[in-house]
Amino acid sequence: MMKNAIQPKVYLATVTCTCGNSFQTLSTKPEVHVDICNKCHPLYTGQQRFVDTGGRVEKFKKKYGLS
């Protein structure tokens, strides 16, 4: 038998991707935002796409002196 007081509340969450796709699933948060989903992920689309979140590429280039 499970204890009811320690179980997290489960919501019907809306997941929103940066590409504009959204879908619903169960989660402990009512809204979830993601960078890549199955509609824009290279494995599913067959297209190579480079995702730079937070300027990591520029930071790497600056750190190592690359152009």
Side-chain angles (χ1 to χ4, degrees):
M1 195 146 139
M2 294 187 336
K3 295 180 181 178
N4 289 332
I6 63 169
Q7 300 299 320
K9 186 171 181 178
V10 178
Y11 299 96
L12 182 61
T14 301
V15 179
T16 307
C17 181
T18 55
C19 71
N21 183 36
S22 64
F23 55 92
Q24 292 186 329
T25 188
L26 295 176
S27 177
T28 56
K29 295 182 178 182
E31 290 186 12
V32 180
H33 299 280
V34 293
D35 293 330
I36 297 177
C37 67
N38 63 334
K39 297 290 183 189
C40 62
H41 193 281
L43 180 70
Y44 299 110
T45 61
Q47 299 173 349
Q48 185 165 354
R49 179 180 154 198
F50 187 74
V51 178
D52 180 23
T53 56
R56 286 192 243 164
V57 173
E58 287 79 19
K59 190 176 180 181
F60 178 83
K61 287 180 179 180
K62 184 178 178 183
K63 182 177 181 179
Y64 292 103
L66 303 173
S67 296

